[in-house]
Amino acid sequence: MFKYHVMKKTNITYEISGIVERSIVIKISKATLRINFEGGSINSDGTIPAKYTTGSEAVQNAIEKSHLFKKGAIKRGMSYEIEDPDEKDEEQEEKTGELDNENPFDNNNDSSKGNTDSAIFADVTNVTSAKEILRAKYDVDLAELQNKDAILAKAAELGVEFPNWQ
């Protein structure tokens, strides 16, 4: 039987301070890439930068080579590693096939897409970060994550917690 190596990829959050939302266009060769920074706020307590999170190495390289990043307008924020969903699915299928015969309790809940582990993401503090984690790590369609209540409901369904998001 084949063993698959689970690839890790890094999600990086980029921030623009002093702005609530901003859309930028970055040229990559002949193509252009529109990136929407959002989730920032400015109030009497201070400012929260607008953020954009991506796991794509191509997008990360494009942002870091852009003139806004080089000037310091865009800064690198938090980063975290996740398992590559494609590799994880292949390994999960292999493990499920082996375990079905050994342990009858592994198939109790099909609605959680095979995920029985709970996960706590303490570094998530806004809608954008929560959406990105659910999309990247749990393959949730963004159409299901239209507002905070929908995001929290989906997270609870998947056993995901965002304790620092208020």
Side-chain angles (χ1 to χ4, degrees), residues 54-74:
T54 181
S56 168
E57 287 185 36
V59 175
Q60 291 168 0
N61 288 332
I63 291 172
E64 292 180 11
K65 290 179 181 176
S66 72
H67 70 283
L68 290 172
F69 187 84
K70 290 177 182 175
K71 285 184 356 186
I74 299 174

Side-chain angles (χ1 to χ4, degrees), residues 23-140:
S23 181
I24 64 168
V25 176
I26 296 176
K27 290 189 177 203
I28 305 172
S29 190
K30 293 181 180 180
T32 57
L33 174 66
R34 179 174 302 277
I35 299 173
N36 297 314
F37 289 80
E38 57 189 26
S41 70
I42 301 172
N43 57 34
S44 61
D45 295 331
T47 63
I48 296 174
K51 298 178 181 180
Y52 175 76
T53 302
T54 181
S56 168
E57 287 185 36
V59 175
Q60 291 168 0
N61 288 332
I63 291 172
E64 292 180 11
K65 290 179 181 176
S66 72
H67 70 283
L68 290 172
F69 187 84
K70 290 177 182 175
K71 285 184 356 186
I74 299 174
K75 295 183 178 162
R76 192 173 177 157
M78 68 175 181
S79 62
Y80 52 93
E81 285 189 349
I82 61 171
E83 292 179 358
D84 188 0
D86 296 332
E87 294 291 330
K88 183 178 177 185
D89 288 344
E90 292 172 359
E91 184 176 275
Q92 187 66 27
E93 288 173 15
E94 181 179 308
K95 285 181 181 177
T96 303
E98 291 173 0
L99 296 176
D100 281 345
N101 297 331
E102 296 174 13
N103 188 351
F105 298 109
D106 280 345
N107 295 328
N108 341 359
N109 187 2
D110 291 335
S111 66
S112 67
K113 296 182 182 178
N115 180 23
T116 57
D117 297 332
S118 63
I120 298 173
F121 294 92
D123 54 347
V124 172
T125 58
N126 61 41
V127 170
T128 306
S129 298
K131 280 183 180 181
E132 183 61 27
I133 285 176
L134 292 175
R135 183 198 64 76
K137 186 167 176 92
Y138 297 94
D139 199 29
V140 176

